[in-house]
Amino acid sequence: QAQPVESGGGLVQAGDSLRLSCAASGRTFSGYAMGWFRQAPGKEREFVAHITWNGVITYYADSVKGRFTISRDNAKNTVYLQMNKLKPEDTAVYYCAIHFGGGYKYAGGYRYWGQGTQVTVSS
């Protein structure tokens, strides 16, 4: 179970909230930082949020700062993305992955990507 599994996406209206979950095995989760990325149709995958292995430090893209919160529960091998005040521009497939090194905002530093979960925000 090296590949994380995302869930929690859906169709919501602007201003609504969603909480995404990313479940992984203990061997591919414990001791590693995790990240959330998203990809909208016709656009490149972009960084959303990052959390260190112990959950002490988090980073966010400017576009979601103040609205999204990344967290993790190591006992459950799960990372979350609480998404509040959603906007139509948040519409994308959201992916989680395990950080292996390099800059936290770059997808190349991550491994074991999930299949993604669709988030659609209508106006």
Side-chain angles (χ1 to χ4, degrees), residues 36-38 45-51 58-70 81 87 90 94 104-106 110:
W36 284 97
F37 287 74
R38 66 187 183 186
R45 189 167 298 188
E46 67 172 339
F47 168 75
V48 176
H50 173 100
I51 186 167
T58 58
Y59 300 98
Y60 298 93
D62 290 340
S63 59
V64 307
K65 193 174 300 181
R67 298 187 298 118
F68 291 10
T69 302
I70 187 172
L81 185 67
K87 304 175 180 180
D90 295 319
Y94 284 71
Y104 63 83
K105 66 174 67 175
Y106 302 109
Y110 294 78

Side-chain angles (χ1 to χ4, degrees), residues 19-98:
R19 189 179 74 160
L20 307 184
S21 297
C22 172
S25 68
R27 288 185 175 87
T28 57
F29 187 88
S30 300
Y32 290 91
M34 301 286 293
W36 284 97
F37 287 74
R38 66 187 183 186
Q39 188 165 22
K43 297 184 178 180
E44 295 184 350
R45 189 167 298 188
E46 67 172 339
F47 168 75
V48 176
H50 173 100
I51 186 167
T52 56
W53 71 273
N54 58 3
V56 172
I57 304 174
T58 58
Y59 300 98
Y60 298 93
D62 290 340
S63 59
V64 307
K65 193 174 300 181
R67 298 187 298 118
F68 291 10
T69 302
I70 187 172
S71 62
R72 67 191 296 163
D73 186 340
N74 287 347
K76 296 181 178 180
N77 298 321
T78 302
V79 63
Y80 304 95
L81 185 67
Q82 179 66 46
M83 311 165 72
N84 298 326
K85 304 295 183 182
L86 283 162
K87 304 175 180 180
E89 50 263 46
D90 295 319
T91 296
V93 177
Y94 284 71
Y95 302 90
C96 70
I98 302 171

